[in-house]
Amino acid sequence: MSDPGDAAVSPGSGDGRVVVDLRGIRKEFPGVVACDDANLTVRAGTIHALLGENGAGKTSLVNVLGGVYLPDDGEIWVHGRQRQFHSPADAIAAGIGMVHQEFRLVPTLTVFENVVLGSAPRYLDMGQIIERVAHLAATYSLQTDPSRPVWQLSVGERQRVEILKALWRDADVLVLDEPTAVLTPAEAADLGLTLRSMADRGRSVIYISHKLDEVLSVCDEATVLRNGVTVAQPRSLAGIDRSDLAEMMVGEAAAEIQRPTDQPSGDVVLALEGVSALSDRGLPALHSVDIDVRAGEIVGVAGVSGNGQRELAEAIAGLRPTTAGTMQLEEADITGASPRARSRAGLAYVPEDRLGVGLAPTMSVVDNAVVRSYRSMRRRMMLDLRRCEDFCRRLVERFGVQVGRVHEPVSALSGGNLQRLLLGRELTGEPKVLVAAQPTRGLDVAGIAAIQSQIVAQRAAGVGVLLISEDLDELLALSDRLIVMYEGEVAARMDPTQVTRAEVGAAMAGTAQA
Amino acid sequence: MTEPTHAPLHTVARGRARWHRVIVRPVLQRRARVAPAAQAIAFVIGIVLALIAGAMLLWGSGNDPVAVYERMAESSLGGFDALSRTLLRATPLAIAGLAVAVAGSMGLWNIGAEGQMMAGATVAAGFAMVAGDLPGPVLIVLMLVAGAVGGVVLVVGPALARAYLGVSEIITTLMLVEVAIRIVEWLKVGPWKDPESFGFAQISPLPDQASLPGLFGQVHIGVLFAAALLLAFWLAVSRTAWGYELRMAGSSPATARYAGISLQRKVLTALLLSGGLAGLAGAIELTGTATRLEPGLSSGYGFAGIIVAALALMRPSGVAVVAFVFGAVLRGGQSIQTLGVTSSIATILQAMILIGALVAAVLLNYRVRWVRPVGSGTDADATENPASAGASGV
Amino acid sequence: MSEDAVIGLLVATVQFATLVYLAGLGELIAERSGVLNLGVEGMMAMGAVTGFMAAIATGRPWVGFAVAALVGMATAGVHAVVSVIMGAGQVVSGLAITIGGLGFAAFIGQDAVRERADAVFTDLGIIGLADIPWAGPILFDQPPVVYLAGVLGVAAWFVLSRTRLGLALRAVGESASTTDSVGHSVTLLRTSAVLVGGAFAGAAGSFLSLYMAAGWTEGLIAGRGWIAVALVIFGAWRPGRLAAGSLLFGFTLALQPRVQTFDLTIFGLEVNTISPALLGILPFLLTVVVLIAISFRARHRPSPAPAALTLPYRREER
């Protein structure tokens, strides 16, 4: 093919040799098919983008390659041999290096100790190992101090340690799952240079990202997944622009959800003005967000995950302190109010993390049903168990929760029934505002339909709904107004009846002109 | 390892990663649904295993296991008097177990119940020294209150440190056990030394009216306190808003926070209550069975209480059952001394019941699945891929 | 007070330090791998009684010492099976080891109580050095176990900080899933650490029965196992600081039986009025203080406690 000298200078040409070939991968989780006939072909010396919307199956696919998941069907070929990975160690042995979104580092150990952990020589000659790690880092211009403990490092430096870990094991395929999500722009640019220098040395990189600009500037080839299926595999990104990629990712609308009938909306029931908040890491995650929700309307919030939607929902629920701005629920100022005060003021909240924040897994269905209302079911110090149980039974009946016994732990319920229970609990007591974060994620078809019809029913009953979702079809079908979040800001405000999926997709990727 | 530059190292990992493909290995898989009676079954299995192991031990040391077990059963369960002796020992076990369970139902470990019992007994004894003239019932009630206060005093430091600084209560409560025991030792030879005991140092005896009235046989009314406390705790945890909040805070802190429950206050109250109950157990033991305060008064009841609570899964009904069984084991262990067998067989049996039940519970909650190597031993990566081989040849 | 009394105090300090250091070092190794073993007291008792009986049977203290280490290891094996392999709670499992170990030791040691020890360790008396005033008796005329403990301490430091095994052990105590993901077996590492810890505790117990007390009685361990648990925290989970801590704790232990014979006044305090029992509280109170200090410092930097301590690990099976 091309001459090897050429490969070193012209980015992305490689020598065409196939390093990784995933064929017809299928991976099913209870109730969800993450990958269904997914293919991925990566050549030596290239940076290969793996694109797709959230839930398209990208992370599942690379976890199959990394030995984290055992595929239900399909073949894994690495370097021309078929492999079966039973553990991450098997994949490492085959030369696959994974850099997960959540780093696998030991904070109290030093950089070099983290790098060599698992494949260190029997005796740790500190001077020599530090020198070798430093040498390896310098080769790929990964700036780091090998003898510093990891807890002192910035997120960007920690990522470099993860990459060093893979290189130390001589990984010739490096998989990065949304590597720039946690980086500053300058760090992201440095990462691009590092990856290019790896490709120039004949290694391959699989690069998962939503940021289309970044993909176009960094990657050579791409694979696009939609609903777990590989829909496009451009061999070159030369003639391709952002909107092409966005279209491949989003595809054609397949909306079957019934749009709620038009109805006049009422007064503003939830008003956010200039709200800012920090992420768990203490970095700015929400910048001066203004949102109004009126009675009887659904405001959809779209966005690629990690662009501040989670923080937005938690800030409204009172679970995350705000650093600026004000929040009003009808007439009441709820800016600094406790979660309980907000709930009494008429806020219902369906959290993203059902079994973490919303429900107590080891407690019974009844106990979980009364989280918001148990205080009103007291008789002196005692809890009126009969009232609790009646309340629970009514809730279970009204919202179609399928339970065996109401006294069994909720962890025995399926995802759909958990969500029905949670939604039902939040909706009793006639809230004025409903904030629902990813309410249909991970549910089966029947579950999704049930939850969606509940949300529509709330709108009809005059509740103001803020619907945060990563399912674009759902948002386009249900919302009266659509807000797109990008990097913690409201990037676009759209009329869902007037926009195309591609336009929303572009806004989600931060390329909207709106 | 002499090369200054980077050498491929993954060959090392390759060799080590391969062993589990060849061997059929057991893997523990959590069962989706656990039988509701699993813990009861595990407890029974633990008892059976402990009895078998104990029999082997007895037989190995030249005793007749059947005779020993017969004597143990007879002396602990055979008749009114035997039962009263069992209940006498079950009483402090149940209250100490309850103390541990109060903290445990919030996911906290009060490992210092032994020390809090000593602290409770100490404060109660101290109160009796200054107020020894009070009439019996008043004195006893006040001594019991003083006992609870003593337990709280010992646990307040660890409780504050846990609630506001996040310091693990496991070690802090444990450390204070030794502190409490040594304080009693110091009192014995120092300030509280009985002037009437000459060569042999001991603490002054309690006033005569400071002993709990008997109920029947050997047992005193402390057993009624224990039953009442178990009932009250069961009611409090399962029927009151307070108990609901306690369970919620233990099961899911984030949900509790969402429901407006203060985690710090719950940690504090759970640990203080736990310490208070343990202190009360100490005071009951003092007024019920002892004539004077001694460093060995709690004699392991506090530590055994942790095992009781763990076996009971922190449930009051379970605490009652396990405390009764352990009380019988203790009484039985004491009775066999007349056969020339040491009473330490009782502590061995307790530990073995726990270990057997722990293992049985894991095996009941999990399913052992034997994983066969995929591709039955042949190395999967041996298959050549003609297509790629062709491609690489280009 | 006499010179001899001070030398005697310091000689005993070194011996008590050795006792708690050996047991503490074993506990340190187990805890660095993420396993809290509250069974030290029980493992020491098991080692003390079996080591004593083996020494009497064979007439050789070293055989007793080795048997004690093996028995300590076997006792710890129960904890390893229950808490590491089965993944049950470390706290209760460890307590069961203490309770059961003490009971078991009392049971098998019934007849040994009356035995007089003739096969005990003798002081080494290093030629030439043992006669040096002060330093001689304190440092160079001690039983061999004292020097062995020093060697084991250096070895433990070396293995933990300078070898692949030690790195894996430290890593598994901080994050089992990370260590698993790079191909180390979490179960193997933790089980080995617990077993080694048990061997150290058993050996420490036999130092008590084969030298310091030169005999076996029920209650011989008398809370020294708990002091070892405290020492690991006081020493911030590091072998070096553990040694320093063991000298301090050893000093309080050595002082307890002697304090009331010292006719000395320090800062107006008459030393002989200090209660031995209250002196015995010191290690435990200091440990609580250290724990609280650590929690304050942990706001700025990670706690020295292994992050995965007491957390069982079971890989999510697919």
Side-chain angles (χ1 to χ4, degrees), chain B residues 105-134:
Chain B
S105 53
M106 234 206 99
L108 299 167
W109 280 111
N110 179 7
I111 303 299
E114 182 89 7
Q116 292 139 22
M117 278 182 75
M118 286 310 299
T122 307
V123 176
F127 183 80
M129 279 180 196
V130 296
D133 301 334
L134 290 172

Side-chain angles (χ1 to χ4, degrees), chain C:
Chain C
M1 64 193 283
S2 72
E3 191 180 312
D4 279 354
V6 177
I7 290 177
L9 172 68
L10 295 178
V11 167
T13 295
V14 170
Q15 289 166 1
F16 275 112
T18 301
L19 175 72
V20 294
Y21 186 64
L22 259 184
L25 199 58
E27 181 67 11
L28 180 143
I29 291 167
E31 289 194 18
R32 284 304 287 262
S33 83
V35 186
L36 176 70
N37 188 350
L38 293 181
V40 186
E41 189 92 355
M43 298 186 297
M44 284 176 78
M46 289 294 286
V49 70
T50 54
F52 182 67
M53 287 162 71
I56 286 176
T58 60
R60 290 160 204 267
W62 280 113
V63 173
F65 190 78
V67 165
L70 284 175
V71 168
M73 193 183 259
T75 313
V78 177
H79 185 58
V81 168
V82 174
S83 73
V84 180
I85 297 174
M86 293 291 182
Q90 293 177 6
V91 171
V92 256
S93 169
L95 280 176
I97 299 295
T98 281
I99 293 173
L102 288 172
F104 210 86
F107 183 78
I108 55 181
Q110 289 170 83
D111 303 325
V113 174
R114 285 176 292 277
E115 296 278 351
R116 275 204 54 233
D118 37 14
V120 296
F121 287 111
T122 48
D123 296 341
L124 218 48
I126 299 169
I127 299 158
L129 297 173
D131 299 328
I132 303 172
W134 290 87
I138 296 168
L139 297 177
F140 303 115
D141 193 16
Q142 293 278 12
V145 176
V146 170
Y147 309 107
L148 180 70
V151 172
L152 286 173
V154 173
W157 167 82
F158 179 81
V159 169
L160 275 174
S161 63
R162 289 288 183 274
T163 68
R164 176 169 77 200
L165 177 67
L167 176 59
L169 217 57
R170 284 183 285 141
V172 80
E174 294 290 335
S175 165
S177 60
T178 301
T179 315
D180 188 27
S181 75
V182 297
H184 283 297
S185 164
V186 174
T187 309
L188 193 64
L189 281 167
R190 288 189 168 169
T191 302
S192 331
V194 170
L195 290 180
V196 170
F200 279 51
S206 76
F207 182 55
L208 208 47
S209 64
L210 289 178
Y211 181 82
M212 296 183 69
W216 162 256
T217 51
E218 228 186 295
L220 177 69
I221 309 302
R224 275 72 169 251
W226 297 126
I227 293 193
V229 173
L231 181 60
V232 177
I233 297 154
F234 189 77
W237 289 270
R238 286 157 191 262
R241 290 189 203 176
L242 193 77
S246 71
L247 285 170
L248 178 65
F249 286 11
F251 181 74
T252 64
L253 287 171
L255 196 56
Q256 280 175 53
R258 293 174 173 80
V259 67
Q260 292 185 319
T261 65
F262 287 171
D263 187 14
L264 193 72
T265 305
I266 301 172
F267 299 120
L269 174 75
E270 288 175 45
V271 169
N272 60 11
T273 60
I274 299 174
S275 153
L278 291 185
L279 203 56
I281 288 174
L282 210 58
F284 300 104
L285 279 187
L286 282 176
T287 301
V288 172
V289 170
V290 164
L291 263 178
I292 288 168
I294 283 173
S295 82
F296 274 107
R297 213 183 55 150
R299 291 172 186 187
H300 311 290
R301 49 179 307 162
S303 156
L309 193 62
T310 73
L311 305 178
Y313 177 71
R314 191 171 284 125
R315 186 196 288 168
E316 284 305 310
E317 288 292 337
R318 314 178 289 267

Side-chain angles (χ1 to χ4, degrees), chain A residues 212-420:
Chain A
L212 301 179
D213 280 327
E214 207 174 275
V215 164
L216 286 171
S217 71
V218 173
C219 301
D220 307 314
E221 304 183 357
T223 292
V224 184
L225 286 181
R226 201 191 305 149
N227 297 328
V229 184
T230 299
V231 291
Q233 289 180 289
R235 276 290 301 267
S236 162
L237 294 178
I240 292 179
D241 66 17
R242 280 194 308 231
S243 52
D244 296 335
L245 284 179
E247 206 176 301
M248 286 182 211
M249 274 168 64
V250 176
E252 287 308 309
E256 290 159 24
I257 312 160
Q258 209 66 103
R259 256 205 85 75
T261 48
D262 285 339
Q263 66 177 42
S265 50
D267 297 333
V268 172
V269 284
L270 178 71
L272 271 64
E273 250 185 67
V275 170
S276 301
L278 302 179
S279 71
D280 292 337
R281 291 178 187 276
L283 301 172
L286 275 188
H287 311 283
S288 184
V289 169
D290 301 327
I291 295 176
D292 283 348
V293 181
R294 293 173 175 278
E297 71 166 356
I298 299 176
V299 176
V301 178
V304 167
S305 87
N307 276 291
Q309 302 96 306
R310 185 195 186 93
E311 287 82 1
L312 175 67
E314 290 178 357
I316 300 174
L319 293 169
R320 183 176 293 275
T322 52
T323 50
T326 59
M327 282 186 252
Q328 264 199 322
L329 204 152
E330 285 197 315
E331 305 298 305
D333 180 20
I334 56 163
T335 310
S338 71
R340 198 176 140 219
R342 290 174 203 230
S343 119
R344 272 193 304 203
L347 179 74
Y349 171 54
V350 176
E352 194 177 325
D353 181 10
R354 273 163 233 157
L355 272 180
V357 184
L359 300 167
T362 58
M363 292 175 74
S364 73
V365 177
V366 177
D367 285 341
N368 275 288
V370 299
V371 162
R372 273 166 64 100
S373 47
Y374 74 92
R375 285 186 179 82
S376 66
M377 301 193 184
R378 283 181 294 190
R379 259 199 329 224
R380 298 228 177 83
M381 284 168 65
M382 308 303 277
L383 216 49
D384 188 338
L385 290 195
R386 180 163 299 164
R387 266 178 74 193
C388 291
E389 210 175 303
D390 286 348
F391 176 85
C392 176
R393 285 193 197 284
R394 277 201 307 275
L395 194 158
V396 160
E397 204 169 306
R398 182 173 154 209
F399 291 88
V401 191
Q402 280 156 7
V403 290
R405 292 162 43 239
V406 288
H407 291 291
E408 74 179 356
V410 280
S411 54
L413 300 188
S414 74
N417 284 313
L418 284 177
Q419 193 67 311
R420 287 192 185 107

Side-chain angles (χ1 to χ4, degrees), chain A residues 68-138:
Chain A
V68 180
Y69 297 150
L70 201 63
D72 299 324
D73 198 8
E75 295 171 359
I76 303 169
W77 295 76
V78 179
H79 287 302
R81 283 157 174 249
Q82 192 179 353
R83 312 271 182 163
Q84 282 190 323
F85 296 150
H86 297 269
S87 70
D90 288 0
I92 292 169
I96 311 289
M98 298 274 292
V99 178
H100 296 274
Q101 275 178 294
E102 281 148 27
F103 299 148
R104 304 257 163 95
L105 296 174
V106 182
T108 50
L109 297 184
T110 63
V111 168
F112 84 85
E113 285 173 329
N114 269 288
V115 168
V116 304
L117 179 66
S119 44
R122 258 174 219 294
Y123 167 62
L124 303 181
D125 182 338
M126 310 278 255
Q128 198 196 41
I129 290 178
I130 288 173
E131 195 182 311
R132 282 170 62 190
V133 171
H135 179 84
L136 185 62

